[in-house]
RNA sequence: GGGCGGUUAGCUCAGCGGUAGAGCACUCGCCUUACAAGCGAGGGGUCACUGGUUCGAUACCAGUACCGCCCA
């Protein structure tokens, strides 16, 4: 085999793009539902077509890529299905903003032309995301890429809508919903973000006896009652009477309702059924009229001087008017209270009474909870399951209609005589019927993602093979946004089969101080920036190395550089192995202790890596492979191999080949690009992507060899410490006499001398220092006086440690309770420690006594 | 207000009943023929606090303080 010319530094940009294109054109990522292999499937949480991938996506994708690459290498028929969702509100907002620059509104274009325009934007924006995924190295099956608005998925949406409608689980009703006066659409509960904002609490006198407190004085224009608690004696005599509503002259009733908290404020509350969800319920209970006093933009429509004012202008105006009449009893400002904001545009949400479509979630949510309760779906880490239960067990009906144009139009048509028909994909409405103008919540279609992407409602081979999917990988922040919805729809559409066997949740990516990344704080990391500067592998490895299940990942530039260094280390170590003729082949039966040691360690590491991957412990898998690769393979084994090669031990090449072949395959799911390049060079194979995952082989387990090499390491480390303490330069050769015969280290003299730069003693050898390590005496001739003070300091320090340990251990052994109750193996360990610390003390005292004075 | 999680080395985090660990940062010495994106050595922690369980607690239990997240 010829030695390939590899540069001394790994340059990711030189290999990443071409490797990726070769993987795709090789068809490695394509999934075949017809193969006889065990299936493994993941659907990519579809990013919003309007956005760009941020570092959080990079983490999410890195995990999925690691899982699916490993599954593929383990011989499973692996599907990682990519795609995007149409992000109704966000996308429409972006395109409307673009139009705004041209001085146009969507109404100027009309619905059809506007949607045409959105599709153009979708191609442009979506294309950017696809490019980012390629740069990351995502091994997805591009032939199965889906989009929530594509034809097949739209059929799925219409099909399930009709099914739910026919089952009575979708209904239309006039309710108080969350309304965004800027986006001009309804929102579901989870699209509202609550924050503690500074507002005001104003107490208004409605009569001599009635004072109400409110944070939203402007809504008093729409009051239709005052409510008190039925058992509140202060107001019992007023129940059933009326009071005049200030500023309006309307008389409104005083009603008794359990909902009122008599301890809050005066115990009287104003009731505005059209502008508050709680008041709406009170209104229903008491058959109160609902009076809408604001339009869709939050502008006051009530008659009077306030008409035409925005809700935030109306607020002080109403208070001023009341104050003028002496009706303001108290004002508290600022007053901290929870305020809902549109999660898209941060506008304060307005509760609004309107006619909308809802999903009756009770039976669906119960099924979604049960699937996790009975273990059909496992949430990982398990402590996050509680959040899931809290959500699904107390879910309100889901408002699914949106007053937008971009999305799946509600498949309901209204006839001229008030008929309402819901139609499936291949049905058409009778002449003269008009379709509902609204579209569905984006989550309605992304809730179908795990099966709509596989061809549902058709009974496709893909669906039969890859559903339920093996695992869903997503952030814990999206557990109820999306996971709960997919669970509900999946169980409903797929006859009680949940969409995932496991939901593996990861955390958010944060900066090096654990701070949330935000544009305003300026600590946002762009994954492409890191990919350019450190490589895709380093970017991924940095993220995976911090990814503990369910917890946040802190990253920094320094750590990305560290990951890059790791890739470079692997690169150079493999380069060294290749330069020395590393080759893959049958290993001979007779190998050196060093060979048997590294092969034995390899088996252990394979087992540990498997265990970590199975439990989504990516940080652990990364860490243990990092240390095995760097500390054991690249450091100790390569140094030992150098000695073996210089001794002409040809088998070393086969061991090098074997170890690097396995190591590169183990690392491939984490750092796919550098391992691909190197693995091909080592093995001559087509691609590590389609190689096999290493399997631990018990025949190579060799505790004796491990113990032997451990002794070598101890000896070498101790003498290095002496050298360092004595200020001997690393390259400086020192004459030494080793008394290894009869010890476990007998065979390792050459290695020890090489690692420690120890020369054979000459005729004039005169030991200036003598050290005892691991039962071996090493005499050194440092060719001059040694630094006695430094050596004494060192020995005294070690002696202090040994004495402290001896005292600790003696105390234990002298403790009757400990001796009586501690398990035998622990006692045995303590006894062994007692012996070794006693030996250490004797040795160190001897060495100290032997030191020349001074 | 309810719930969950956290508090271990300067920073970020592992460990989770029996001798305190990693990466980065730091100090010292080295361009030792794979790698200075490197090599060798080193310093650094009463494991938040208070009780309890135990022969033994950083780890288990209870409480306190502080931090973070989710929900209302």
């Amino acid at each position: 085999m010829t030695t390939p010319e590899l540069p001394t530094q790994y340059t990711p940009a030189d290999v990443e793009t071409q490797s990726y294109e070769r993987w795709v054109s090789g068809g490695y990522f394509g999934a075949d539902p017809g193969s006889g292999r065990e299936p493994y499937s993941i659907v990519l949480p579809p990013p919003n077509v309007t956005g760009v991938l941020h570092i959080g996506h990079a983490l999410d994708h890195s995990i999925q890529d690691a899982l699916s690459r490993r599954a593929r290498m383990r011989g499973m028929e692996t599907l990682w299905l990519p795609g995007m969702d149409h992000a109704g509100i966000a996308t429409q907002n972006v395109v409307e903003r673009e139009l705004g620059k041209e001085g146009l509104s969507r109404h100027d274009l009309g619905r059809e032309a506007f949607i045409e325009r959105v599709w153009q934007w979708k191609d442009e924006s979506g294309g950017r995301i696809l490019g980012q995924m390629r740069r990351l190295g995502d091994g997805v099956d591009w032939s199965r890429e889906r989009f929530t608005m594509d034809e097949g998925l739209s059929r799925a949406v219409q099909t399930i809508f009709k099914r739910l409608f026919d089952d009575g689980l979708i209904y239309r009703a006039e309710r108080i919903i969350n309304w965004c006066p800027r986006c001009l659409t309804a929102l579901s509960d989870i699209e509202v973000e609550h924050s503690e904002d500074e507002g005001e609490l104003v107490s208004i006198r409605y009569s001599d006896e009635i004072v109400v407190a409110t944070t939203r004085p402007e809504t008093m224009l729409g009051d239709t009652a005052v409510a008190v608690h039925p058992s509140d004696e202060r107001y019992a005599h007023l129940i059933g009477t009326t009071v005049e509503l200030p500023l309006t002259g309307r008389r409104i009733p005083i009603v008794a309702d359990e909902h009122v908290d008599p301890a809050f404020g005066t115990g009287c509350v104003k009731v505005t059924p059209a502008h508050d969800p709680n008041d709406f319920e009170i209104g229903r209970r008491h058959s109160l009229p609902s009076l809408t006093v604001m339009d869709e933009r939050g502008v006051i429509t009530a008659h009077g001087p306030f008409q035409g004012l925005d809700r935030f202008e109306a607020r002080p105006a109403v208070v001023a008017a009341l104050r003028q009449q002496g009706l303001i009893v108290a004002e508290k400002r600022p007053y901290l209270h929870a305020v809902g904001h549109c999660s898209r545009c941060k506008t304060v949400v307005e509760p609004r009474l309107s006619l909308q479509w809802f999903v009756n979630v009770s039976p669906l949510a119960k099924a979604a909870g049960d699937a996790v309760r009975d273990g059909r779906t496992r949430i990982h880490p398990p402590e996050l399951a509680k959040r899931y239960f809290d959500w699904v067990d107390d879910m309100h009906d889901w408002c699914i209609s949106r007053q937008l144009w971009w999305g799946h139009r509600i498949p309901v048509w209204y006839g001229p005589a008030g008929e309402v028909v819901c139609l499936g994909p291949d049905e058409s409405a009778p002449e003269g019927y008009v379709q509902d103008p609204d579209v569905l919540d984006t989550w309605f279609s992304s809730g179908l993602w795990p099966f709509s992407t596989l061809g549902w409602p058709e009974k496709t081979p893909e669906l039969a093979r890859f559903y339920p999917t093996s695992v869903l990988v997503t952030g814990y922040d999206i557990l109820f946004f999306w996971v709960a919805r997919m669970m509900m729809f999946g169980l409903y559409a797929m006859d009680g089969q949940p969409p995932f066997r496991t939901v593996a949740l990861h955390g958010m990516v944060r900066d090096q101080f654990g701070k949330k990344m935000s544009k305003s704080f300026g600590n946002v990391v762009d994954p492409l920036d890191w990919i350019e500067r450190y490589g895709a592998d380093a970017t991924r490895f940095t993220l995976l190395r911090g990814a503990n299940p369910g917890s946040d990942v802190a990253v920094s530039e320094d750590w990305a550089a560290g990951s890059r260094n790791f890739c470079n280390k692997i690169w150079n170590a493999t380069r060294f192995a290749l330069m020395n003729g590393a080759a893959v082949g049958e290993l001979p039966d007779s190998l050196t202790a060093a060979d048997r040691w590294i092969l034995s360690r390899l088996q252990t590491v394979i087992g540990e890596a498997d265990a970590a991957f199975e439990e989504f412990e990516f940080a652990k898998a990364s860490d243990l492979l990092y240390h095995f690769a760097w500390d054991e393979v690249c450091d100790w084994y390569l140094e030992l191999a150098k000695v073996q090669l210089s001794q002409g031990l040809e088998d070393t090449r086969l061991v090098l080949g074997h170890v690097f072949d396995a190591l590169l395959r183990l690392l491939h799911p984490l750092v796919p690009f550098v391992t691909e390049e190197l693995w091909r060079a080592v093995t001559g194979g087509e691609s590590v992507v389609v190689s096999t995952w290493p399997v631990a082989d018990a025949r190579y387990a060799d505790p004796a060899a491990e113990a032997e090499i451990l002794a070598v390491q101890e000896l070498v480390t101790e003498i290095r410490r002496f050298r360092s303490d004595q200020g001997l330069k690393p390259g400086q050769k020192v004459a030494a006499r080793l008394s290894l015969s009869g010890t476990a280290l007998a065979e390792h003299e050459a290695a020890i001398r090489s690692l420690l730069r120890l020369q054979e003693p000459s005729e004039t050898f005169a030991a200036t220092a003598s050290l005892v390590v691991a039962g071996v005496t090493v005499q050194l001739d440092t060719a001059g006086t040694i630094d006695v003070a430094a050596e004494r300091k060192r020995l005294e320090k070690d002696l202090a440690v040994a004495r402290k340990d001896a005292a600790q251990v003696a105390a234990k052994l002298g403790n009757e309770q400990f001796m009586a109750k501690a398990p035998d193996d622990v006692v045995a360990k303590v006894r062994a420690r007692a012996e070794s610390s006693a030996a250490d003390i004797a040795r160190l005292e001897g060495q100290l006594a032997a030191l020349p004075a001074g």
Side-chain angles (χ1 to χ4, degrees):
Chain A
M1 183 175 165
T2 56
T3 304
E5 291 294 325
L6 295 176
T8 61
Q9 278 199 352
Y10 172 56
T11 312
D14 290 351
V15 305
E16 289 182 355
T17 306
Q18 68 190 65
S19 283
Y20 192 81
E21 294 312 321
R22 196 164 40 76
W23 292 336
V24 171
S25 61
Y28 303 154
F29 303 141
D32 174 11
S35 82
R37 298 158 182 265
E38 188 186 340
Y40 187 90
S41 53
I42 299 180
V43 288
L44 177 81
N48 289 356
V49 70
T50 276
V52 287
L53 300 188
H54 52 65
I55 195 80
H57 290 109
L59 168 66
D60 189 53
H61 290 214
S62 296
I63 290 173
Q64 291 169 69
D65 199 38
L67 290 172
S68 54
R69 282 176 188 270
R70 174 167 173 270
R72 187 176 298 111
M73 291 171 77
R74 292 177 73 215
M76 301 171 92
E77 189 60 50
T78 302
L79 169 64
W80 183 19
L81 188 147
M84 287 175 267
D85 81 38
H86 63 279
I89 300 180
T91 307
Q92 176 157 330
N93 279 351
V94 168
V95 176
E96 286 193 281
R97 212 176 305 137
E98 289 297 308
L99 281 178
K101 288 180 195 163
E102 300 166 29
L104 295 170
S105 79
R106 68 180 148 118
H107 301 282
D108 295 328
L109 262 70
R111 188 160 185 152
E112 250 178 70
F114 176 75
I115 288 177
E116 188 54 40
R117 185 77 185 244
V118 180
W119 276 103
Q120 283 169 21
W121 159 250
K122 178 262 169 190
D123 289 338
E124 183 189 329
S125 179
R128 250 200 316 267
I129 291 174
L130 303 183
Q132 287 182 303
M133 289 174 63
R134 289 169 178 268
R135 294 296 303 276
L136 269 170
D138 289 355
V140 294
D141 185 348
W142 288 114
S143 72
R144 298 179 192 281
E145 184 199 340
R146 302 307 296 262
F147 180 53
T148 46
M149 286 287 282
D150 71 28
E151 198 194 331
L153 270 61
S154 299
R155 284 182 72 85
V157 165
Q158 195 170 351
T159 303
I160 200 157
F161 187 100
K162 179 161 173 56
R163 206 174 278 187
L164 287 162
F165 182 90
D166 291 345
D167 281 350
L169 293 172
I170 283 183
Y171 63 92
R172 193 158 80 134
E174 187 164 53
R175 293 276 172 83
I176 294 265
I177 44 83
N178 303 294
W179 179 268
C180 176
R182 202 213 65 83
C183 298
L184 299 178
T185 179
L187 304 171
S188 66
D189 293 346
I190 55 175
E191 287 164 298
V192 177
E193 290 171 0
H194 294 273
S195 59
E196 288 278 308
D197 290 1
E198 287 187 359
E200 58 199 272
L201 184 68
V202 180
S203 299
I204 309 168
R205 179 171 300 286
Y206 279 13
S207 73
D208 288 346
E209 290 170 289
I210 302 281
V211 172
V212 300
T214 178
T215 56
R216 307 185 59 209
E218 73 281 10
T219 63
M220 60 87 61
L221 299 171
D223 285 2
T224 55
V226 167
V228 298
H229 194 272
S231 58
D232 192 333
E233 289 172 11
R234 293 172 294 176
Y235 304 110
H237 65 288
L238 294 175
I239 294 166
T241 66
T242 62
V243 62
E244 184 181 314
L245 183 66
L247 306 181
T248 68
R250 280 193 285 116
R251 289 204 78 82
I252 56 175
I254 294 163
V255 300
D257 195 282
E258 297 277 347
H259 176 81
V260 178
D261 176 5
F264 181 79
T266 57
C268 301
V269 298
K270 58 194 277 305
V271 180
T272 324
H275 293 280
D276 182 280
N278 293 323
D279 292 4
F280 181 75
E281 293 304 319
I282 295 176
R284 278 227 296 217
R285 285 195 284 273
H286 301 277
S287 308
L288 300 170
S290 292
L291 194 60
T292 298
V293 295
M294 264 181 238
D295 70 7
E296 58 181 15
R297 294 177 190 275
V299 172
I300 302 294
T301 54
H303 293 296
F306 309 108
Q307 189 173 1
L309 290 181
D310 176 79
R311 53 190 170 147
F312 295 115
E313 298 165 355
R315 185 168 299 170
V318 165
V319 172
L322 289 166
R323 191 181 294 120
Q324 206 165 31
Q325 298 185 19
L327 298 177
I328 298 297
V329 177
E331 293 171 82
K332 200 169 172 186
R333 219 174 265 116
Y335 178 74
L336 268 188
H337 64 131
V339 178
H341 300 262
C342 171
S343 63
R344 277 290 152 217
C345 71
K346 311 304 172 199
T347 299
V348 173
V349 162
E350 189 60 40
R352 181 174 170 80
L353 183 64
S354 68
L355 191 59
Q356 303 284 347
W357 287 94
F358 294 88
V359 176
N360 167 12
V361 297
S362 335
L364 303 171
K366 176 163 192 322
D370 288 346
V372 174
R373 267 184 282 270
D374 66 24
R376 275 174 292 156
T377 294
R378 177 172 76 117
I379 289 183
H380 186 89
E383 55 268 26
L384 285 171
K386 197 178 174 333
R387 273 197 200 182
Y388 172 82
F389 292 134
D390 285 348
W391 176 253
V392 295
D393 293 345
D394 184 30
M395 197 186 270
H396 302 295
D397 280 3
W398 173 17
C399 175
I400 50 172
S401 41
R402 296 289 178 275
Q403 287 63 51
L404 305 172
W405 285 354
W406 174 240
H408 301 95
R409 198 156 166 185
I410 289 175
V412 170
W413 280 257
Y414 306 106
E419 301 94 333
V420 175
V421 294
C422 176
L423 300 179
D426 296 314
E427 300 170 319
S428 49
E431 193 68 30
Y433 278 50
V434 179
Q435 188 173 7
D436 193 299
D438 290 350
V439 302
L440 288 162
D441 183 0
T442 305
W443 297 106
F444 190 93
S445 50
S446 46
L448 314 179
W449 191 250
F451 50 97
S452 63
T453 53
L454 296 173
W456 190 91
E458 305 305 319
K459 287 188 167 27
T460 60
E462 285 79 4
L463 203 55
R465 197 103 183 95
F466 295 117
Y467 188 98
T469 63
S470 308
V471 57
L472 176 81
V473 177
T474 191
Y476 60 69
D477 58 324
I478 216 157
L479 186 58
F480 29 77
F481 257 99
W482 186 47
V483 177
R485 288 185 173 164
M486 288 190 289
M487 289 292 288
M488 293 196 297
F489 281 162
L491 290 159
Y492 175 77
M494 295 296 292
D495 304 318
Q497 282 191 86
F500 331 102
R501 300 192 193 287
T502 300
V503 176
L505 299 164
H506 58 249
M508 308 293 107
V509 179
R510 293 166 175 274
D511 77 4
Q512 60 188 310
F513 303 112
K515 281 212 166 61
K516 218 172 192 166
M517 288 188 181
S518 75
K519 277 183 194 142
S520 54
F521 203 71
N523 59 350
V524 174
V525 171
D526 174 3
L528 278 190
D529 176 46
W530 276 15
I531 289 171
E532 309 241 328
R533 291 189 297 131
Y534 301 108
D537 288 335
T539 302
R540 297 165 53 123
F541 196 71
T542 302
L543 294 165
L544 290 170
R545 217 180 165 191
N548 292 116
S551 57
D552 290 347
V553 181
V555 297
S556 85
E557 182 114 11
D558 282 348
W559 305 341
S563 300
R564 178 216 35 202
N565 296 354
F566 175 60
C567 294
N568 194 235
K569 185 73 184 177
I570 301 300
W571 176 266
N572 276 295
T574 311
R575 195 165 68 88
F576 170 81
L578 288 168
M579 287 179 347
N580 285 284
V584 177
E586 189 79 9
L587 291 176
D589 291 333
S590 164
L591 291 166
T592 68
D595 295 336
R596 287 181 281 117
W597 161 72
I598 197 67
L599 291 170
S600 180
R601 285 289 303 136
L602 173 63
Q603 311 316 314
T604 306
V605 166
I606 291 170
E608 290 171 346
D610 278 329
F613 276 115
E614 291 300 325
E615 287 304 307
F616 307 101
E617 304 264 11
F618 301 101
K620 194 182 277 182
S622 305
D623 194 59
L624 79 96
L625 289 171
Y626 176 96
H627 285 290
F628 176 66
W630 200 314
D631 302 347
E632 301 194 89
V633 175
C634 300
D635 187 346
W636 287 99
Y637 184 69
L638 284 192
E639 292 306 324
L640 294 168
K642 284 177 187 173
V643 179
Q644 296 189 175
L645 289 164
S646 73
Q647 292 171 330
L649 291 171
E650 293 293 312
D651 291 342
T652 304
R653 298 176 180 184
L654 290 169
V655 180
L656 282 170
H658 182 95
V659 169
F660 277 90
D661 171 22
L663 177 62
L664 292 167
R665 282 183 284 140
L666 287 169
L667 284 169
H668 179 254
L670 307 172
V671 284
F673 290 109
V674 69
T675 49
E676 168 75 340
E677 196 70 6
L678 295 172
W679 187 84
R680 276 157 46 93
V682 169
T683 65
E686 179 186 324
S687 170
V688 69
V689 176
V690 287
S691 67
T692 58
W693 183 249
V695 176
D697 185 340
R699 287 175 307 168
Y700 289 120
D702 195 333
E706 291 196 25
E708 217 170 294
I709 299 303
L710 185 65
V712 172
Q713 292 173 328
E714 277 177 10
L715 179 87
V716 168
T717 302
E718 182 60 26
I719 306 298
R720 277 177 178 164
R721 195 159 76 159
F722 172 80
R723 290 187 58 128
S724 184
D725 285 346
Q726 289 298 314
L728 295 167
K729 306 284 185 213
Q732 188 178 330
K733 301 249 199 271
V734 177
R737 185 172 288 148
L738 306 175
S739 57
L740 300 175
S741 60
T743 74
L745 297 177
E747 287 175 28
H748 299 288
E749 178 156 355
I752 290 166
R753 284 189 179 280
S754 165
L755 290 170
L756 289 169
R757 321 263 156 192
L758 298 181
Q759 289 177 319
E760 292 289 345
S762 67
E763 299 288 317
T764 59
F765 182 83
T768 51
S770 174
L771 294 102
V772 182
V773 194
V776 172
T777 302
V778 180
Q779 290 178 293
L780 299 160
D781 181 351
T782 56
T785 52
I786 65 158
D787 184 342
V788 177
E791 187 59 2
R792 184 180 300 281
K793 194 174 156 200
R794 155 66 52 200
L795 291 172
E796 277 171 353
K797 188 187 165 193
D798 287 357
L799 186 58
V801 170
R803 281 180 175 151
K804 190 179 162 199
D805 195 50
Q808 236 174 44
V809 169
K812 284 204 173 195
L813 293 175
N815 182 336
E816 276 176 41
Q817 296 278 15
F818 173 78
M819 297 306 283
K821 294 185 177 170
D824 292 346
D825 62 316
V826 172
V827 175
K829 253 191 211 165
V830 174
R831 283 223 169 87
R833 261 176 69 198
E835 282 170 31
S836 80
S837 55
D840 283 346
I841 289 168
R843 172 176 62 83
L844 292 163
E845 284 175 344
Q847 287 185 224
L848 273 167
L851 278 182

